[in-house]
Amino acid sequence: MKKKYIFYSLVIIFCFGFSIQKANAQFRIVEVNPATETVKIKNFGSTTQDISAYRLCALFKYGALGSMTVQSGSLNLAGNAEVEVTVLLTSGSVLNNTASDLGLYLPSGNFGLPENMEDFVQWGSGGNGREGVAVTKGIWTAGTFINVAAPYAFTGGTSDIGVPFWDTLLNIENPDEINKFSISPNPASLDLNVELPNSIENATLRVYDLLGKKVLETEMSGLQSVSIDVSKWNSGVYIVRVSSDDVTQTKRFIKQ
């Protein structure tokens, strides 16, 4: 009787400990840029965890995060922190720009089992790849997909699921107006001036066209302003993105 009591106690402790770990390490895909083949993952939990063995799967091609190039952050992912990786899947496959799914999976286990899937998103069309697994798990609605311009950004929290919480990254900015950078003139034909507030340090400036192709990247460490020669750029709309620590801000400008 005593042995049985000890056994059940250990089972309860194990299950409780596992649930705590899950509650404190909730990993979600929060940004996808098919054009640059980059994906950003956020830890919505409060404890640091190494996610290098976690896997991404797109259109039945897969790869471990540890085999991919880290663009920013760390795979030893702290609570409320993000890491950005360049996707590399089996046979050298990368993200499909037109239509694809993307699932985040635990370090081991069958990709066809819902319990091994952590998160899911798809764009361009419904019914891609492992959509059925996500539907069974209850984190996606069958046939739904992101149908706005890439790159894509998750706008919800840890308990929010599905297409309603995905939008184009172009529409997402830091709501704190005090911390926003400024660009001028807009439209611009010769030079575009980017100015950072004093509260932003060690920032990286990137500019993308509307297809998500990166046309410029420069470090602004110790700089509060920079002038970009855009005179030879094609006319159209561009996205200016400033990243500093865990904060990313975006703005549009028109090249005349």
Side-chain angles (χ1 to χ4, degrees), residues 84-121:
E84 184 177 30
V85 299
T86 298
V87 176
L88 179 63
L89 306 175
T90 48
S91 304
S93 298
V94 292
L95 298 179
N96 186 296
N97 286 5
T98 304
S100 181
D101 70 319
L102 181 66
L104 176 64
Y105 282 81
L106 294 174
S108 62
N110 193 307
F111 288 96
L113 297 179
E115 57 266 32
N116 296 326
M117 178 183 281
E118 285 282 278
D119 200 12
F120 179 86
V121 63

Side-chain angles (χ1 to χ4, degrees), residues 49-64:
Q49 185 169 329
D50 184 356
I51 63 169
S52 57
Y54 276 65
R55 302 165 294 170
L56 291 176
C57 182
L59 297 178
F60 305 111
K61 302 291 186 178
Y62 58 89

Side-chain angles (χ1 to χ4, degrees), residues 9 33 39 42 112 154 166 190-191 204 225:
S9 297
N33 191 336
V39 171
K42 180 175 180 178
F154 178 68
W166 281 89
L190 298 177
D191 295 308
T204 300
S225 63

